Amino acid sequence: MVDPGGGAVCNGTLHNQSDHCHRKNCTRNGMVKEAQQNGNSNFYKPIVESFEEAPLHVMVFTYLGYGIGTLFGYLRDFLRNWGLEKCNAAIEREEQKDFVPLYQSFENFYTRNLYMRIRDNWNRPICSAPGPLFDVMERVSDDYNWTFRFTGRIIKDVINMGSYNFLGLAAKYDESMKTVKDVLETYGLGVGSTRHEMGTLDKHKELEDLVAKFLNVEAAMVFGMGFATNSMNIPALVGKGCLILSDELNHASLVLGARLSGATIRIFKHNNMQSLEKLLRDAVIYGQPRTRRAWKKILILVEGIYSMEGSIVRLSQIVALKKKYKAYLYVDEAHSIGSVGPTGRGVMEFFAMDPRDIDVFMGTFTKSFGASGGYIAGRKDLVDYLRAHSHSAAYATSMSPPIAEQIIRAMKFIMGLDGTTQGLQRVQQLAENTRYFRQRLSEMGFIIYGNEESPVVPLLLYMPAKVAAFARHLLKRKIGVVVVGFPATPLAEARARFCVSAAHTREMLDAVLEALDEMGDLLHVKYSRNRKSARPELYDETSFELED
């Protein structure tokens, strides 16, 4: 892949393209964008992101709340051990008391004493399509959320602010889905084989050609599961003697794939070019530990949109560093493909970059395309290598044919190949809804994270008790939200994560904003004082010029 001394080496799966990627204009499905602008070798889109710090008293009360919760947790564990309180958690049988324990009591302390008290805010059963409105099955608990029972009542027309249905294509059946129905009748639901055996269908080939055309790359390969697209393909690209530089906020699928690869992993601060460049420089200068040999490959792992922060990768600067130090770039566009860029082609289009600047494109079909699965795209020799060496291709069942057809239908809709401009209008409507929703939340005084163009909108709540109250009160107002806490976020940065959709009407967004305004006053979560970012390293950076 890459030898820090320069040039592409090893199995030939990836090639450094800095020698030719700026010799001509970048074409993008019939659209031409000049790669040279005002004498610079690339286009830098201004990045407007917010990571406002919380007032000191909020952080004090947040940690105090966790401290008090911990003390009461130990008290309740004491009562359970002495039989004064019923223990509903999994425990070892008396006959196995001398065995190595399967359950570590301390490891489950947080789950047992805090999560269980607010567990009703997660895993709520939905009984409709995840459109802008959905139906929720009501449930109650008689034992403080250890078990639930259904009441038989359906909460109708709840405004869906949690599903990442960015373009509104995850919807109940209508006539536009007739092709999916036809494929179901012709092919059935399952494939019953892997891609290496009897599981490659003409629908898979059609989808892969369409993905390559959509991204303006040479080739693409699709997989049945988005998570496995990362975790099972990264080990095929790098291994022992290779170096992975991973953003500290990367998704768990990227983290797992990196760990399974056996490569050395080093973490750089989120979106921090100084931190990344230091790691790259040290990797080139010092090489591998002990032997000081050059790394076989250096791979940078980033996401397009970070799903818990709502921030967008600083692609232009990362590409500049990648070329400067002869590294390779793997971009996970799970949340950004279809949701950003003038025509929905992700961060590559958002920053007006040449597709050849990115060595490995990865994305999923679960967000903007209303389906499931993922893809890897890039140069043909890369994709051909993965067809032979990917664990997903060798061992996982192929993508279901109706799912493949749904993705084809959605992608043609976005590209305008259905003969309409409705797909483009959806992309533009999503951008408009995103900016409106973010601006209104900021004006109300909430602390929100991320880029102003990101449809993922985290609203900081901090205190665990307020997390539970926030979700419960909004459901009573028929608004469904996702709340997130530790360990998915830092301990003191619990939040609600809104996902804006093109299917949301202005009336829906206004209804949600009105409820949030009332909730912010009720729970006192309007913490914003427009202070300087708690992460100044995101902004106090030097610019990096791309080298010809």
Side-chain angles (χ1 to χ4, degrees):
M1 186 173 173
V2 67
D3 180 280
V9 297
C10 290
N11 52 32
T13 61
L14 298 179
H15 296 270
N16 194 294
Q17 305 155 32
S18 60
D19 294 335
H20 62 267
C21 65
H22 291 294
R23 290 177 183 172
K24 56 185 178 180
N25 294 340
C26 308
T27 60
R28 188 175 288 108
N29 295 333
M31 297 177 294
V32 179
K33 289 187 177 293
E34 293 292 330
Q36 303 286 339
Q37 297 191 12
N38 301 324
N40 295 327
S41 55
N42 211 335
F43 170 72
Y44 288 91
K45 186 178 183 71
I47 298 176
V48 182
E49 294 189 341
S50 172
F51 291 94
E52 183 182 347
E53 68 177 2
L56 178 61
H57 74 277
V58 173
M59 301 308 296
V60 169
F61 280 115
T62 299
Y63 283 110
L64 184 62
Y66 278 107
I68 294 173
T70 300
L71 290 176
F72 273 92
Y74 279 115
L75 174 61
R76 299 192 68 185
D77 280 351
F78 174 80
L79 296 177
R80 294 184 187 115
N81 290 336
W82 286 92
L84 301 176
E85 179 179 327
K86 181 181 178 181
C87 180
N88 293 303
I91 58 175
E92 298 289 346
R93 292 186 300 170
E94 185 66 24
E95 297 89 337
Q96 294 180 305
K97 64 179 181 179
D98 295 325
F99 284 56
V100 175
L102 292 174
Y103 307 103
Q104 296 292 340
S105 178
F106 182 75
E107 291 177 359
N108 295 316
F109 180 87
Y110 178 86
T111 302
R112 185 171 60 248
N113 292 298
L114 181 58
Y115 171 71
M116 279 297 171
R117 304 292 289 188
I118 57 178
R119 190 165 73 103
D120 56 301
N121 296 292
W122 290 277
N123 308 315
R124 286 177 175 146
I126 309 301
C127 54
S128 68
L133 301 173
F134 60 12
D135 301 335
V136 181
M137 299 176 66
E138 186 181 63
R139 62 181 183 177
V140 296
S141 177
D142 301 317
D143 54 5
Y144 301 103
N145 297 334
W146 286 96
T147 61
F148 294 100
R149 61 180 175 83
F150 293 107
T151 65
R153 175 173 171 260
I154 304 298
I155 307 174
K156 293 281 190 179
D157 297 330
V158 177
I159 299 177
N160 181 5
M161 296 301 298
S163 299
Y164 29 66
N165 182 21
F166 294 133
L167 297 181
L169 296 178
K172 61 183 179 181
Y173 181 82
D174 58 37
E175 282 305 309
S176 68
M177 300 180 188
K178 186 177 184 304
T179 57
V180 179
K181 180 181 178 183
D182 293 342
V183 168
L184 174 62
E185 293 175 347
T186 303
Y187 293 83
L189 279 172
V191 178
S193 185
T194 69
R195 291 294 299 269
H196 277 190
E197 296 168 347
M198 304 287 289
T200 297
L201 307 180
D202 55 349
K203 280 295 170 186
H204 297 145
K205 303 298 291 183
E206 179 184 354
L207 174 56
E208 289 172 348
D209 292 342
L210 188 62
V211 171
K213 181 179 180 181
F214 183 65
L215 297 174
N216 194 27
V217 296
E218 294 179 4
M221 183 177 182
V222 298
F223 304 89
M225 181 181 178
F227 189 99
T229 304
N230 276 331
S231 60
M232 294 291 101
N233 284 294
I234 293 175
L237 295 175
V238 291
K240 187 176 181 181
C242 301
L243 175 65
I244 291 177
L245 303 180
S246 179
D247 189 290
E248 65 178 343
L249 297 182
N250 274 342
H251 189 264
S253 59
L254 289 168
V255 174
L256 178 60
R259 290 175 177 174
L260 291 176
S261 71
T264 300
I265 304 169
R266 291 175 183 165
I267 309 300
F268 62 92
K269 294 181 180 179
H270 176 54
N271 257 348
N272 187 316
M273 299 304 103
Q274 293 169 327
S275 176
L276 175 58
E277 184 172 27
K278 183 180 185 302
L279 291 177
L280 283 167
R281 186 188 301 115
D282 289 347
V284 171
I285 294 173
Y286 301 112
Q288 299 183 43
R290 294 191 298 275
T291 65
R292 299 306 180 191
R293 293 177 180 173
W295 294 101
K296 294 179 181 178
K297 308 176 186 179
I298 301 177
L299 182 64
I300 303 170
L301 297 182
V302 295
E303 294 187 51
I305 292 179
Y306 291 85
S307 58
M308 285 300 165
E309 307 297 309
S311 53
I312 294 180
V313 63
R314 297 194 157 199
L315 188 62
S316 302
Q317 291 104 316
I318 289 180
V319 167
L321 290 175
K322 164 226 167 186
K323 292 181 177 181
K324 181 178 179 180
Y325 293 95
K326 304 295 190 295
Y328 290 90
L329 180 58
Y330 183 114
V331 180
D332 177 348
E333 293 220 68
H335 286 81
S336 55
I337 193 68
S339 64
V340 296
T343 62
R345 285 168 170 80
V347 292
M348 172 196 67
E349 185 183 50
F350 183 76
F351 289 98
M353 302 290 291
D354 188 325
R356 291 166 296 185
D357 287 334
I358 301 172
D359 300 288
V360 186
F361 287 91
M362 178 271 170
T364 64
F365 302 118
T366 55
K367 280 76 176 177
S368 296
F369 301 94
S372 62
Y375 65 83
I376 294 285
R379 291 176 61 100
K380 186 177 185 301
D381 51 3
L382 161 71
V383 176
D384 288 344
Y385 177 83
L386 288 176
R387 291 190 195 283
H389 295 85
S390 168
H391 301 290
S392 289
Y395 304 111
T397 301
S398 300
M399 178 184 287
S400 171
I403 293 295
E405 178 60 30
Q406 161 63 15
I407 301 167
I408 292 171
R409 183 188 75 87
M411 195 165 287
K412 287 182 176 179
F413 177 76
I414 297 170
M415 297 170 70
L417 298 181
D418 62 342
T420 73
T421 61
Q422 293 182 21
L424 180 60
Q425 292 171 11
R426 292 275 185 109
V427 174
Q428 295 170 345
Q429 185 63 52
L430 174 62
E432 181 181 335
N433 286 353
T434 295
R435 287 190 290 267
Y436 175 74
F437 192 70
R438 281 183 167 274
Q439 180 180 353
R440 287 289 307 277
L441 286 178
S442 296
E443 291 171 352
M444 289 177 186
F446 293 103
I447 293 180
I448 58 173
Y449 276 1
N451 192 287
E452 62 178 5
E453 303 287 341
S454 170
V456 177
V457 187
L459 186 153
L460 275 293
L461 301 172
Y462 298 104
M463 305 178 195
K466 292 187 178 183
V467 169
F470 187 85
R472 290 167 181 164
H473 281 290
L474 283 180
L475 185 60
K476 291 179 180 178
R477 289 168 166 79
K478 301 184 76 171
I479 298 172
V481 300
V482 171
V483 288
V484 190
F486 180 82
T489 69
L491 182 66
E493 292 188 13
R495 65 197 66 178
R497 187 186 70 170
F498 299 99
C499 290
V500 182
S501 172
H504 287 137
T505 65
R506 184 58 61 88
E507 290 73 21
M508 291 178 187
L509 293 178
D510 285 339
V512 173
L513 289 165
E514 181 181 352
L516 290 175
D517 194 20
E518 296 176 6
M519 197 59 51
D521 293 331
L522 176 66
L523 299 179
H524 301 285
V525 291
K526 294 181 178 180
Y527 301 124
S528 178
R529 297 190 295 184
N530 295 316
R531 300 177 63 180
K532 183 176 173 61
S533 168
R535 302 176 185 178
E537 64 271 10
L538 293 178
Y539 303 91
D540 300 337
E541 296 169 358
T542 57
S543 62
F544 297 92
E545 295 294 331
L546 289 175
E547 297 177 352
D548 292 327

